[in-house]
Amino acid sequence: MTTTNQELAIAATGLRRSYGDKTVLDGIDIQVPAGTVYSLLGPNGAGKTTTVDILSTLISADGGRARVAGHDLATDPQAIRATIGVTGQFSAVDGLITGEENMWLMADLHHLSRREGRQVTAELLERFDLVDAAKKPASTYSGGMKRRLDIAMTLVGDPRIIFLDEPTTGLDPRSRHTMWQIIRELVSDGVTVFLTTQYLEEADQLADRIAVLNDGKIAAEGSAEELKRLVPGGHVRLRFSDPVAYERAATALREASRDDEALTLQIPSDGSQRELRAVLDWLDSADIEADELSVHTPDLDDVFFALTAGGPTPARATDDRRSTTPARSTDEETAR
């Protein structure tokens, strides 16, 4: 089904931007359905922050067109600013004042009345678990607390589209996971999130759609699973404890790679449900029982390296979701 412009929070066509003789964006197209997470991946210098700066009206494009929240980027930037929030790579928190005072300042910038500003501040500080630290100078906050305050300040204006430019860079794993939960809650409230990240695991965990940006162009786009299927190397692995069953299976499955010492067979597969069902049906029909069956598919690291031709190494994912399980169960980038 084709997504119409009315359903899109962001729709950009042919966006271009250069700095001197350096082309940073070379005619990229972006479509972000409302209420989803769209993640832009790419090596350092790929143009991710430039894309955010253009779509959030901070800089102008050299070419192309875009609509954000239904408003034309070139002719109605003020309307766009009224509907979006931006959390950049570097914290906008003023460390010389308290967290609460940072929130009040943001409420004043949004022209909220004193009463409204105090109410919104109280609600957001509670939501982001910052009540106990609210009256302390923000300079005393940990990195994770500052990031939570940063996003709370972004939400003062009740934006429907939020641009998060590498929001978890430098955070410890626990703070990163807390940030992920905040993003999921925002989306469940109907907010659209445009996320750039250097953590492949982050895009895999959060994004409905992922675009890989390389040399100013979109090298590939799709869901995490769709992108993983672009890279060869997926397989179904069967492990046997019975040498006789192993030999029978190996003789019949001639396309499988053998490991006679470990009694395992590796069958090329794209990891689809159809192919997995075919393997299970064959085992049933041949009356052969494997002790373990696992599905191994390329991860986003593999996709990233394949599409960016060995660009700078991104942060390595720490959550390897591939697993080996009992039979019949499956496992399942900045600045310019």
Side-chain angles (χ1 to χ4, degrees):
M1 181 177 117
T2 301
T3 304
T4 65
N5 284 338
Q6 287 71 30
E7 298 170 316
L8 295 175
I10 301 171
T13 305
L15 285 187
R16 303 179 62 87
R17 176 74 188 198
S18 297
Y19 296 94
D21 59 359
K22 168 67 174 176
T23 299
V24 179
L25 297 180
D26 192 10
I28 68 169
D29 300 339
I30 293 174
Q31 293 192 335
V32 183
T36 66
V37 179
Y38 184 96
S39 182
L40 199 58
L41 286 177
N44 291 336
K48 301 187 307 297
T49 296
T50 297
T51 304
V52 169
D53 288 349
I54 290 173
L55 294 175
S56 61
T57 78
L58 294 176
I59 64 174
S60 61
D62 296 332
R65 300 188 55 128
R67 296 184 68 82
V68 179
H71 306 289
D72 189 274
L73 186 65
T75 63
D76 205 2
Q78 193 58 40
I80 292 176
R81 295 178 192 127
T83 62
I84 68 171
V86 182
T87 298
Q89 292 181 43
F90 305 104
S91 175
V93 172
D94 187 338
L96 299 178
I97 60 179
T98 68
E100 186 176 57
E101 289 167 338
N102 271 279
M103 296 290 291
W104 291 345
L105 178 59
M106 191 59 63
D108 288 343
L109 291 173
H110 282 282
H111 306 293
L112 299 183
S113 69
R114 182 181 178 86
R115 178 175 172 277
E116 288 175 321
R118 298 305 188 265
Q119 180 178 340
V120 169
T121 292
E123 292 172 352
L124 288 171
L125 288 173
E126 181 174 1
R127 177 176 181 180
F128 289 91
D129 194 23
L130 291 169
V131 173
D132 291 342
K135 297 187 183 301
K136 298 177 182 178
S139 60
T140 65
Y141 289 14
S142 67
M145 291 170 66
K146 285 180 181 177
R147 237 12 181 161
R148 298 205 309 272
L149 179 58
D150 221 354
I151 294 184
M153 291 164 63
T154 299
L155 294 179
V156 168
D158 194 25
R160 303 318 296 160
I161 302 172
I162 296 180
F163 294 89
L164 300 179
D165 193 6
E166 300 195 13
T168 64
T169 296
L171 297 186
D172 61 80
R174 183 181 300 275
S175 296
R176 186 175 299 126
H177 280 262
T178 298
M179 193 62 60
W180 291 357
Q181 186 57 38
I182 289 171
I183 292 172
R184 293 186 182 109
E185 290 172 358
L186 290 172
V187 175
S188 69
D189 289 341
V191 175
T192 303
V193 175
F194 189 101
L195 171 74
T196 76
T197 179
Q198 62 173 319
Y199 296 106
L200 302 177
E201 173 197 14
E202 191 158 271
D204 202 353
Q205 288 278 339
L206 296 174
D208 297 287
R209 293 190 69 77
I210 301 169
V212 181
L213 186 62
N214 188 49
D215 288 336
K217 297 181 179 181
I218 300 293
E221 182 180 12
S223 68
E225 295 307 315
E226 288 170 341
L227 292 180
K228 292 172 187 177
R229 287 197 287 269
L230 296 176
V231 180
H235 62 272
V236 174
R237 181 175 177 271
L238 302 175
R239 188 187 69 80
F240 300 84
S241 59
D242 181 358
V244 175
Y246 166 73
E247 196 59 45
R248 286 177 58 202
T251 300
L253 297 172
R254 298 188 181 276
E255 76 276 18
S257 300
R258 302 175 52 138
D259 184 337
D260 294 339
E261 183 175 345
L263 298 183
T264 61
L265 299 175
Q266 202 165 284
I267 308 166
S269 170
D270 62 7
S272 67
Q273 182 178 338
R274 175 183 54 80
E275 290 201 359
L276 179 58
R277 183 182 294 114
V279 172
L280 293 173
D281 288 346
W282 180 85
L283 288 170
D284 274 341
S285 64
D287 196 25
I288 296 175
E289 184 170 344
D291 290 87
E292 289 181 1
L293 179 152
S294 57
V295 178
H296 298 255
T297 59
D299 58 21
L300 282 185
D301 290 43
D302 302 313
V303 175
F304 184 94
F305 291 130
L307 294 176
T308 61
T313 304
R316 182 82 183 174
T318 58
D319 177 21
D320 186 351
R321 298 193 303 161
R322 295 171 294 179
S323 66
T324 301
T325 56
R328 302 225 171 183
S329 63
T330 64
D331 67 317
E332 324 216 315
E333 193 206 85
T334 82
R336 301 186 285 275

